[in-house]
């Protein structure tokens, strides 16, 4: 896992979560910390985001809504002290992966990070394979340009623009 962001307004809880992540068996290259959603939106590409719901300036619900606008959306895990079904439902509607109640257990973080690492690794492998296929197809079209149909070139052009 490259970058993980912890968004939590309570400093001791934030530091505790970061410590649990560092002690886990899952390697994380960079762990970023923010006190609220406004700070979190200023961060660059993030693979995974742990966020609280109730925070000053910008709460977790608003943050998750704004994250949906990003081209590279992080996997979002909500950490909350509120066992309110309406919060969980609203977050899940916006693609939140998990909703964990505080206090958070080390074993829960460990298991969650292991599952996320496996999923992210599989996603990276799939993306790399798709890229290899695309490049092979492009090479073929370039080597056989006179035989390629216009539709094939248009398909290739649309994939490049993505």
């Amino acid at each position: 896992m490259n970058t993980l962001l912890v968004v939590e307004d309570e400093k001791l809880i934030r530091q505790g979560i970061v410590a649990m992540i560092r002690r886990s068996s899952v390697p994380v290259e960079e762990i970023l910390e923010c006190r609220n959603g406004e700070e979190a939106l200023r961060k660059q590409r993030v693979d995974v985001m742990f966020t609280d719901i109730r925070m000053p300036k910008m709460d977790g619900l608003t943050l998750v809504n704004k994250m949906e606008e990003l081209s590279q959306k992080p996997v979002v895990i909500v950490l909350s002290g509120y066992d309110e079904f309406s919060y969980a439902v609203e977050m899940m509607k916006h693609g939140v992966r998990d909703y964990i109640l505080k206090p958070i257990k080390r074993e829960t973080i460990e298991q969650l990070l292991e599952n996320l690492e496996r999923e992210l690794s599989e996603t990276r492998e799939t993306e790399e394979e798709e890229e290899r296929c695309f490049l092979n197809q492009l090479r073929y079209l370039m080597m056989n340009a006179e035989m390629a149909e216009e539709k094939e070139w248009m398909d290739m052009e649309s994939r490049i623009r993505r």
Side-chain angles (χ1 to χ4, degrees):
M1 188 174 315
N2 293 331
T3 307
L4 189 144
L5 173 62
V6 178
V7 188
E8 168 64 60
D9 60 321
E10 294 183 46
K11 185 176 182 178
L12 290 176
I13 294 174
R14 187 174 63 243
Q15 290 173 337
I17 294 166
V18 169
M20 283 189 258
I21 293 167
R22 284 197 175 113
R23 289 184 194 125
S24 78
S25 63
V26 177
V28 180
E29 288 181 28
E30 184 176 22
I31 302 173
L32 306 172
E33 299 178 46
C34 293
R35 294 174 294 187
N36 59 58
E38 282 183 5
E39 287 180 17
L41 283 177
R42 290 187 216 124
K43 297 298 179 188
Q44 297 298 323
R45 179 161 160 52
V46 174
D47 296 313
V48 176
M49 179 177 72
F50 285 66
T51 185
D52 191 7
I53 292 181
R54 292 191 181 174
M55 298 178 288
K57 295 189 181 182
M58 181 187 293
D59 65 15
L61 289 169
T62 306
L63 173 60
V64 168
N65 286 336
K66 291 193 178 281
M67 286 284 184
E68 283 190 31
E69 299 168 8
L70 300 176
S71 61
Q72 300 270 321
K73 299 176 199 99
V75 175
V76 179
I77 309 299
V78 173
L79 311 170
S80 179
Y82 301 95
D83 188 11
E84 293 190 29
F85 186 69
S86 61
Y87 279 147
V89 169
E90 189 62 30
M91 290 299 214
M92 295 301 178
K93 283 182 186 177
H94 295 284
V96 167
R97 177 66 50 86
D98 213 333
Y99 189 97
I100 300 172
L101 290 175
K102 296 175 188 174
I104 302 158
K105 296 178 183 171
R106 182 177 295 153
E107 301 81 27
T108 303
I109 293 285
E110 178 77 25
Q111 186 64 51
L112 186 60
L113 289 173
E114 287 173 1
N115 291 341
L116 289 172
E117 178 61 22
R118 192 178 322 74
E119 290 174 28
L120 289 171
S121 178
E122 289 171 2
T123 300
R124 275 192 300 273
E125 288 173 10
T126 301
E127 288 171 353
E128 289 170 2
E129 181 61 28
E130 287 174 356
E131 183 72 17
R132 280 192 294 277
C133 289
F134 170 74
L135 291 174
N136 286 336
Q137 187 178 10
L138 183 59
R139 280 188 201 106
Y140 175 81
L141 286 174
M142 292 177 78
M143 289 172 45
N144 299 291
E146 66 281 348
M147 293 176 17
E149 294 182 19
E150 185 176 345
K151 183 186 180 322
E152 292 173 306
W153 285 111
M154 290 172 59
D155 290 345
M156 219 25 80
E157 183 178 358
S158 68
R159 283 190 66 185
I160 291 170
R161 288 187 180 168
R162 282 189 245 158

